[in-house]
C-alpha cells in the first residue's frame, strides 16, 4: 500500500449484529465526493452459529464477536499490507443494533485508540447502509447498479439529488429523502416488523433455515401459482410500512395447508406470494415518495436489497419514471465494514471537527 499525497487510512469495524467485519480504506478529501479506495475487507459471518437456533441469539453473537474481532482486524490490516502505524482513523459502528454485539466493536475501537492515539469516528449503522451504494471518484460519483439499471456516467454528484433511499434490513425498514449527501430525512418506517425480519419469520414458519431472505427468494423462483396475500398499508397516505399482518396471513394460510406443507410447490407458492406482497408494498411507496419529492434517483440498501425480485421491480419502476437507480455492489447489501468506512470518509470530507472519542458509548437505539 503506497501512500499518496493527502491520503489517510481508515480502519473500519462493524459488529452491530451477527457479522464481525473490518476493512481498510484509503481516503482523500475532494469537492463533492471524497476519493475512496478499498484496500481490504474481511467479514466473519456467524450464520452457522445462529442457524441452529433459528435466529440471532444476542449473547452468543457477542461471545463470537469477542473471539473473532482480533483475528478479523489483523487480517484486514494484513490484506491491506499495512499495520496500525499507518492508520489515521478508526471508524466503528456505534448503533443501532444488539447492545452486546455493539459493545464489543466500540470498546475494541476505544482500547485501540487509547493504546495508539488514533482517533475513533463513531458511525451510525444506518448511515453506513445509506451510503453503501456510493463509491467515490473525486468530484465524479461512481454508482453501482444492477446490470439492467440505467445509470449514465454521472459527472456531478448533485445530478442524483434529491434521492429517495429505501433501507430494508433485518432490523429496519426506512424511506429517506436525501436532499444532498449530508442532509437527509426519514419520511417513513415500519410500524412493526422490519422487511428482513418478516422474511426471516416466514422462513421459520416454513421450516426454512436462517437467514430466511435468501431461502424464501430462492424458492419463490420455482413458484407457478403464487398465493395472493394482502399488501398492508399499501394505500395509506404516509410512507410507513407494516409487515406483521402479512406474516400472520402467511401463518394462517400455512396452518390451513398443514397437511400439504411438505409439498414443494405449496412452499414455493407461499414464498412467491409473500415476496410479491413485500415487493409490491415497498416499490409502490418508494415510487410514490419519488414522485412527491421530485427525486432524480432511487437507491436501495440493507440486507433485503440483495433480493433480485425487489431490485428488478425497482429498476422497472425507475425506468418508467426516468430515474437513476442504484444499489450496493454484490455482497455489500448485508452488513459489512466497508460501508462503515465509506460513511467515515464522507464524514471526514465535511472537515467538521470530531468529538472527543474515548467518551463514545454503544447505543442500541441510535436514530438516523
Ligand atoms: O442488513 P443486514 O445484513 O442486517 C441488519 O442490519 O439487519 O440484513 C439482514 C437481513 C436478514 O433479515 C435477511 O433475511 C435479509 O437481510 N436478506 C434478504 C436477502 N438476503 C438477505 N431478504 C430478502 N431477499 C434476500 N435475497
Ligand atoms: Zn445492517
Amino acid at each position: 500500500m503506497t501512500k499518496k499525497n493527502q491520503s489517510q487510512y481508515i480502519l473500519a469495524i462493524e459488529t452491530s449484529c451477527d457479522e464481525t467485519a473490518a476493512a481498510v480504506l484509503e481516503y482523500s478529501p475532494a469537492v463533492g465526493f471524497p476519493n475512496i479506495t478499498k484496500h481490504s475487507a474481511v467479514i466473519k459471518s456467524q450464520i452457522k452459529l445462529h442457524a441452529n437456533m433459528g435466529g440471532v441469539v444476542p449473547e452468543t453473537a457477542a461471545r463470537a464477536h469477542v473471539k473473532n474481532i482480533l483475528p478479523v482486524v489483523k487480517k484486514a490490516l494484513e490484506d491491506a499490507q499495512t499495520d496500525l502505524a499507518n492508520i489515521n482513523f478508526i471508524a466503528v459502528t456505534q448503533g443501532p443494533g444488539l447492545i452486546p454485539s455493539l459493545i464489543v466493536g466500540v470498546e475494541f475501537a476505544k482500547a485501540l485508540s487509547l493504546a495508539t492515539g488514533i482517533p475513533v469516528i463513531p458511525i451510525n449503522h444506518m448511515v453506513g447502509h445509506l451510503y453503501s451504494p456510493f463509491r467515490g471518484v473525486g468530484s465524479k460519483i461512481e454508482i453501482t447498479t444492477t446490470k439492467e439499471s440505467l445509470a449514465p456516467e454521472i459527472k456531478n454528484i448533485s445530478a442524483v439529488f434529491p434521492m429517495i433511499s429505501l433501507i430494508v434490513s433485518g432490523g429496519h425498514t426506512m424511506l429517506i429523502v436525501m436532499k444532498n449527501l449530508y442532509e437527509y430525512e426519514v419520511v417513513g418506517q415500519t410500524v412493526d416488523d422490519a422487511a428482513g425480519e418478516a422474511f426471516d419469520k416466514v422462513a421459520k414458519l416454513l421450516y426454512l433455515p436462517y437467514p430466511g431472505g435468501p431461502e424464501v427468494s430462492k424458492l419463490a423462483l420455482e413458484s407457478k401459482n403464487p398465493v395472493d396475500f394482502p399488501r398492508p398499508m399499501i394505500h395509506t397516505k404516509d410512507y410507513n410500512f407494516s409487515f406483521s399482518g402479512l406474516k400472520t396471513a402467511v401463518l394462517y394460510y400455512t396452518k390451513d395447508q398443514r397437511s400439504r406443507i411438505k409439498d414443494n410447490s405449496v412452499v414455493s407458492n407461499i414464498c412467491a406470494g409473500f415476496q410479491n406482497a413485500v415487493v409490491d408494498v415497498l416499490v409502490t411507496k418508494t415510487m410514490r415518495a419519488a414522485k412527491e419529492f421530485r427525486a432524480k434517483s432511487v437507491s436501495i440498501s440493507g440486507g433485503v436489497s440483495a433480493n433480485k425480485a425487489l431490485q428488478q421491480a425497482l429498476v422497472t419502476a425507475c425506468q418508467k419514471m426516468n430515474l437513476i437507480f442504484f444499489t450496493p455492489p454484490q455482497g455489500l447489501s448485508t452488513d459489512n465494514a466497508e460501508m462503515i468506512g465509506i460513511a467515515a470518509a464522507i464524514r471526514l470530507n465535511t472537515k467538521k471537527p470530531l468529538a472527543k472519542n474515548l467518551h463514545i458509548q454503544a447505543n442500541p437505539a441510535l436514530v438516523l
Side-chain angles (χ1 to χ4, degrees), residues 68-100:
N68 296 334
I69 191 150
L70 196 54
V72 164
V73 166
K74 268 181 85 176
K75 173 122 185 29
L77 291 168
E78 274 163 27
D79 288 357
Q81 295 177 336
T82 191
D83 55 33
L84 283 173
N86 287 322
I87 298 294
N88 302 92
F89 298 98
I90 301 167
V92 67
T93 303
Q94 182 182 23
L98 301 171
I99 187 68

Side-chain angles (χ1 to χ4, degrees), residues 125 129 169-171 196-197 199-200 211-214 217 302-304 306-307 333-335:
H125 181 79
H129 278 306
S169 70
E197 190 180 357
F199 268 95
D200 295 338
S217 60
V304 183
N307 186 285
S333 295
T334 45
D335 291 348

Side-chain angles (χ1 to χ4, degrees), residues 33-36 38 131-138 140-144 326-329 332 336 338-339 342 346:
F33 198 83
N35 291 299
I36 302 172
K38 180 181 78 174
Y131 288 146
S132 61
F134 291 81
R135 291 295 175 280
V137 278
K140 279 192 221 145
I141 166 171
E142 200 174 71
I143 289 180
T144 322
F326 56 108
T327 186
L332 294 183
N336 63 87
E338 194 179 331
M339 69 182 192
I342 292 171
I346 292 173

Side-chain angles (χ1 to χ4, degrees), residues 184-204:
Y184 41 82
E185 188 192 346
V186 179
V187 292
Q189 42 196 323
T190 180
V191 295
D192 42 56
D193 292 350
E197 190 180 357
F199 268 95
D200 295 338
K201 286 179 174 170
V202 163
K204 209 168 177 179

